[in-house]
Amino acid sequence: MSNPTLLDLPLELFHGIFEHLDTETIAISVRCVCKKLFNIANNYDKFKLSLARIYGSDLVSISRIVEPVNFVSLAIYVYSDYHQYGKINLFLSLFKLNSFTQLRSLYFYSTSGDTVELFLQQVPLGNLGLLSIINTRDGILGRAIKQTLQSVVQFNIPKLQIYEPKCLERINWPAQCPLEYLMLADCSFSQYRSVLSELSNLRMLIVDNIKMTDKDLKTQEEFSISQNAAKTQDCQHLTSLSIVKFDGTMEDIELILSLTPSLTRLRLISCRKKFDSTFDGSTWERTIGSKLPLLKNFELFLSHEFWRDVKFPLLCEIIAPFQSTFWLNQKHCNFSADYDLWNPIIRLYTTPICATNDQHYYSSGYFKCVLSSKESRYSITQNQGCSVHFSDYSKTALVQTITTLSIKEIKVGSNEMKHLYSALEKNTTIEDLALRDIKLDNNGLKSLAHALSVNKTIIKLNISSNRFGDDGMKHLAEALHNNTTMTMLNISYNNVGDDGARDLANALYNNKTLTNLNLSGNDITNIGVEHLFVALQDNSTLKVLELGSCKTGHKGAMHLACLLRTNQ
């Protein structure tokens, strides 16, 4: 076959493609393309129908094209839109519920308890593998919750998602419940214990949070004493536990895990209010080593947002405990720690990442500094793909995709910044560099100045609000003597005084590229302005000079006025 087309694909591949398409796309669009696709669509028997955003007219068309027996998934969604209730009524008028005999999954989202009860009573559930009830309008009170549990037992439904606030307070798990998979919202520690003891077939549990109530805290000491008794066969069946919005302490985690020594997979996601022992690899090593001897898959994601004036922990200090033999050789876990170079958010996580974008992972468009437990180098990564790696001086290089790098209002460790400065010496793409309010000290400024003296691409530099004073200014002025590319320099609010202004003025004698200079908010007086005035009389390239909020008086203003009259 010299020129194969899409229609030459085998039937199995078409079915594989259809599995990722909604019913209206297959039945109304793909089916009408050609005769072959018409026949394939007509014989397809694994349709998935969702009422979430389907038009009423499309629902009518689908009812004429697809037989209910060919649906394997049905999702009954109701958003805030009033017309969604009318859509359910339309669905009920077009389809007979008892004709959906091959359903594998049934979802309810934000529907009423009466709707849940109606469907569970009339839809054949003999082939159902998953039943999901999330955020019903009335909390599935009364008969609906009873109907749900009766259906689970009667039809041996192995998977249940029942995402309802305080739903466990109304549930009495029936004897011989067949559930193997359960997803819940928040629950208390005592409810968690009840789930483990009453659902003897449960293998996988996903829960938002397990909270320690006052009652739990009062009985915690008593429970700790009787932990050995608690490790009965009823607690040996759970193999996978996920807590996706955990807000408790490390002590809470230890108590929770003491009930489940048979776990082989643990996933924990938490946006922390405090930078606490949950970030400590040694504590996790002791906990998992003593509580979970069978654990094979550990997924962790922690984040914490610091106040601007709080000292930021170094990534190397966070990662070091996760570089032990236990993590690298026994558990084969790779951990990474990173922080935004713009926002004061630090994260610790296993890779691949188990958290989603709404869990403090990405801040679109910004860079982050990353350190991995398996690599001895830092990297700067842009959230949408490109990255920079830097480790020791001889290996540093910035990839060619990044032209702007901004680090703001974060206390970055000297080790991290040393590698960055070394990388800048060889970089050939960074044009705009901002290091604002990162507590840049004299040693750091000396290293930066050396990089600037040899860097050939940086044209904009913003190092404002670092308070490095005249000593730091001396290093920067030396770099400007030799720099031939920089056109814009912002050194505002750095406590630079008259001595620093003199050093800068000496650099301006020789510098032929700087066009914009911002010295606002410094301690420059009339004496410093006079130094600048003398230097700028022979400088023909500087076009913009900002001295707002400095300590200049009438004499300094006169120097500037004279400079303006003679500036060409």
Side-chain angles (χ1 to χ4, degrees):
M1 187 178 297
S2 58
N3 295 310
T5 67
L6 178 65
L7 296 179
D8 296 317
L9 292 174
L11 181 63
E12 291 78 9
L13 286 182
F14 278 108
H15 286 177
I17 295 172
F18 283 5
E19 288 181 3
H20 299 280
L21 301 177
D22 55 45
T23 296
E24 49 267 41
T25 299
I26 301 171
I28 299 176
S29 300
V30 175
R31 178 174 171 272
C32 299
V33 171
C34 64
K35 184 176 181 180
K36 181 171 182 178
L37 290 178
F38 180 89
N39 291 330
I40 293 175
N42 279 349
N43 290 289
Y44 187 62
D45 61 356
K46 291 182 174 59
F47 286 96
K48 301 174 183 178
L49 180 61
S50 171
L51 301 189
R53 293 180 176 86
I54 190 172
Y55 290 106
S57 58
D58 288 344
L59 192 58
V60 173
S61 298
I62 289 170
S63 69
R64 297 169 180 169
I65 297 171
V66 184
E67 294 294 329
V69 70
N70 291 327
F71 288 99
V72 296
S73 177
L74 185 59
I76 310 301
Y77 281 72
V78 176
Y79 295 112
S80 57
D81 187 356
Y82 172 79
H83 297 288
Q84 287 291 119
Y85 282 109
K87 194 181 297 183
I88 293 179
N89 292 331
L90 176 62
F91 175 84
L92 293 174
S93 69
L94 296 172
F95 295 94
K96 292 182 179 180
L97 295 182
N98 58 10
S99 299
F100 290 88
T101 57
Q102 299 301 316
L103 283 183
R104 303 289 190 274
S105 55
L106 180 58
Y107 301 87
F108 298 94
Y109 182 85
S110 197
T111 58
S112 67
D114 291 339
T115 300
V116 174
E117 186 177 9
L118 174 65
F119 274 74
L120 293 182
Q121 288 176 344
Q122 297 191 21
V123 173
L125 303 177
N127 294 306
L128 203 66
L130 171 64
L131 175 60
S132 177
I133 305 173
I134 299 176
N135 295 335
T136 55
R137 298 270 170 164
D138 51 14
I140 59 170
L141 294 171
R143 292 174 299 177
I145 187 64
K146 296 179 180 179
Q147 183 66 50
T148 300
L149 297 179
Q150 289 175 2
S151 299
V152 167
V153 174
Q154 180 180 354
F155 298 102
N156 287 314
I157 300 174
K159 297 182 179 181
L160 175 64
Q161 297 175 343
I162 183 165
Y163 203 80
E164 299 291 334
K166 300 181 179 181
C167 67
L168 290 178
E169 296 177 0
R170 303 187 296 273
I171 290 180
N172 292 315
W173 299 106
Q176 304 301 318
C177 187
L179 283 178
E180 300 175 6
Y181 167 101
L182 178 63
M183 188 184 84
L184 299 168
D186 293 351
C187 68
S188 68
F189 178 69
S190 60
Q191 291 170 337
Y192 167 69
R193 291 173 60 190
S194 297
V195 167
L196 292 180
S197 62
E198 295 176 17
L199 300 180
S200 58
N201 294 302
L202 192 64
R203 299 292 180 268
M204 179 181 293
L205 175 62
I206 301 174
V207 60
D208 269 5
N209 195 14
I210 300 175
K211 296 183 176 182
M212 294 294 172
T213 64
D214 292 340
K215 180 180 180 181
D216 292 326
L217 294 175
K218 290 179 181 178
T219 59
Q220 183 169 343
E221 182 177 353
E222 175 185 349
F223 177 76
S224 298
I225 296 174
S226 61
Q227 279 188 30
N228 290 331
K231 293 180 180 179
T232 63
Q233 291 300 316
D234 287 341
C235 297
Q236 299 288 333
H237 48 79
L238 192 73
T239 59
S240 177
L241 174 63
S242 296
I243 310 175
V244 297
K245 295 181 181 179
F246 185 71
D247 64 3
T249 65
M250 195 67 205
E251 289 74 19
D252 296 339
I253 294 174
E254 293 176 359
L255 188 59
I256 291 168
L257 298 182
S258 66
L259 291 176
T260 54
S262 57
L263 283 186
T264 59
R265 178 176 182 256
L266 173 64
R267 179 167 64 115
L268 187 138
I269 300 172
S270 179
C271 295
R272 310 298 296 167
K273 296 180 180 179
K274 296 180 179 179
F275 188 81
D276 55 16
S277 58
T278 56
F279 285 85
D280 181 34
S282 299
T283 301
W284 276 108
E285 180 175 337
R286 289 193 299 271
T287 300
I288 291 177
S290 61
K291 308 294 184 185
L292 305 178
L294 303 179
L295 192 70
K296 297 179 179 179
N297 186 354
F298 179 46
E299 300 172 56
L300 178 69
F301 178 89
L302 305 173
S303 68
H304 173 65
E305 183 170 3
F306 284 84
W307 292 100
R308 299 288 184 183
D309 56 349
V310 174
K311 182 179 179 180
F312 221 72
L314 300 182
L315 297 186
C316 57
E317 295 174 351
I318 297 174
I319 283 295
F322 291 101
Q323 294 177 315
S324 66
T325 301
F326 176 84
W327 292 116
L328 296 180
N329 299 333
Q330 296 181 30
K331 297 302 179 182
H332 304 287
C333 287
N334 183 30
F335 291 85
S336 292
D338 73 47
Y339 51 68
D340 273 345
L341 301 185
W342 189 264
N343 297 311
I345 298 174
I346 197 163
R347 308 169 190 84
L348 172 68
Y349 48 89
T350 52
T351 54
I353 297 167
C354 61
T356 57
N357 289 354
D358 61 346
Q359 291 165 315
H360 271 194
Y361 187 65
Y362 287 122
S363 299
S364 180
Y366 298 134
F367 296 96
K368 57 182 189 248
C369 183
V370 186
L371 180 61
S372 168
S373 62
K374 287 188 177 181
E375 299 180 0
S376 58
R377 66 178 184 178
Y378 297 87
S379 66
I380 293 179
T381 302
Q382 192 176 24
N383 287 334
Q384 298 303 323
C386 56
S387 63
V388 210
H389 299 290
F390 45 97
S391 49
D392 58 81
Y393 178 88
S394 62
K395 299 179 181 179
T396 52
L398 301 185
V399 296
Q400 297 181 354
T401 52
I402 297 179
T403 60
T404 301
L405 177 60
S406 177
I407 306 176
K408 175 186 177 184
E409 295 182 358
I410 293 177
K411 174 64 172 70
V412 184
S414 57
N415 287 334
E416 286 94 331
M417 296 308 297
K418 177 182 67 176
H419 298 310
L420 176 59
Y421 302 144
S422 298
L424 288 172
E425 294 180 17
K426 296 184 178 182
N427 171 254
T428 59
T429 60
I430 297 289
E431 298 177 354
D432 188 346
L433 176 64
L435 305 173
R436 292 182 286 173
D437 194 10
I438 63 168
K439 309 300 186 294
L440 189 61
D441 57 19
N442 288 333
N443 290 332
L445 198 55
K446 184 177 181 179
S447 299
L448 175 61
H450 183 270
L452 294 175
S453 66
V454 297
N455 181 278
K456 304 301 181 183
T457 58
I458 295 176
I459 60 177
K460 298 180 181 180
L461 176 64
N462 184 343
I463 51 174
S464 59
S465 302
N466 281 293
R467 314 289 192 232
F468 48 71
D470 290 340
D471 291 339
M473 189 66 242
K474 183 177 181 179
H475 297 306
L476 185 61
E478 291 175 355
L480 292 177
H481 275 286
N482 300 319
N483 186 279
T484 59
T485 56
M486 192 180 307
T487 61
M488 301 181 66
L489 176 61
N490 185 344
I491 47 178
S492 59
Y493 297 95
N494 277 309
N495 296 339
V496 175
D498 294 333
D499 290 343
R502 182 190 61 238
D503 293 329
L504 178 61
N506 291 334
L508 293 178
Y509 275 115
N510 298 322
N511 186 280
K512 304 300 180 184
T513 58
L514 200 63
T515 61
N516 293 65
L517 176 61
N518 188 346
L519 292 167
S520 301
N522 283 297
D523 299 330
I524 299 173
T525 68
N526 294 333
I527 297 174
V529 173
E530 185 173 357
H531 291 310
L532 294 171
F533 168 69
V534 174
L536 293 176
Q537 283 183 320
D538 296 324
N539 184 294
S540 60
T541 56
L542 191 68
K543 304 300 181 184
V544 178
L545 174 63
E546 298 183 48
L547 287 165
S549 300
C550 287
K551 298 180 179 180
T552 56
H554 176 73
K555 188 175 181 179
M558 292 297 292
H559 285 306
L560 293 175
C562 182
L563 183 64
L564 289 173
R565 285 195 296 268
T566 59
N567 184 273
Q568 300 298 320

